[in-house]
Amino acid sequence: MDQPFDAVLFDRDGTLIKDVPYNGDPFRVAPMPGAREVLRELRTHGLRTGVVSNQSGIGRGLLTETQVAAVNARVEELLGRFGTWQICPHHPDEGCACRKPAPGLVLSACEALGVRPERTVVVGDIGADVLAAQAAGAVPLLVPTEVTRREEVDHAPRTAGDLHAVLEMIR
């Protein structure tokens, strides 16, 4: 990938931090291996960073917006400030335009950061992240984890073995 990028958007759970389903406890936040270093490197080179995250626990009544905000604040405490946080609080059955794999979160993040989608990389751990990036016109990058399904890996146009590989792919 030799084209320059202006921003990198990250999925939160399973990509930046270890996935704890419906986590509302900031003390359960643990960064994924390499997250701190990768973000520091991206920011040092002038790339804008943001988070795009489905948080259906709010719509399901399992979490409050205050709990999600507390977890997000802990993520920033551990990993540094992000230029934007775009969160979908809706239940999956609501059919909103923001819930990944819809492009809403990615488009909103690009607008908030003042970047064009085609100059933005979206890093995530599941197929919905890839599909949201593609639907928005951004560049998807899948970093598989133990929850990533084989067919999601097979259909992803770009994959990386870990977050460190993200740096190599966007340089």
Side-chain angles (χ1 to χ4, degrees), residues 12 16 50-53 71-73 75-76 82-87:
R12 191 188 81 176
L16 286 176
V51 179
V52 289
S53 181
V71 168
N72 293 346
V75 172
E76 284 199 331
F82 290 89
T84 188
W85 283 85
Q86 299 295 323
I87 304 298

Side-chain angles (χ1 to χ4, degrees), residues 89-105:
H90 304 110
H91 190 283
D93 295 339
E94 288 185 57
C96 64
C98 55
R99 182 175 174 77
K100 295 179 286 180
L105 292 177

Side-chain angles (χ1 to χ4, degrees), residues 57-69:
I58 297 169
R60 296 173 194 270
L62 302 172
L63 294 169
T64 65
E65 290 184 24
T66 300
Q67 287 174 305
V68 171

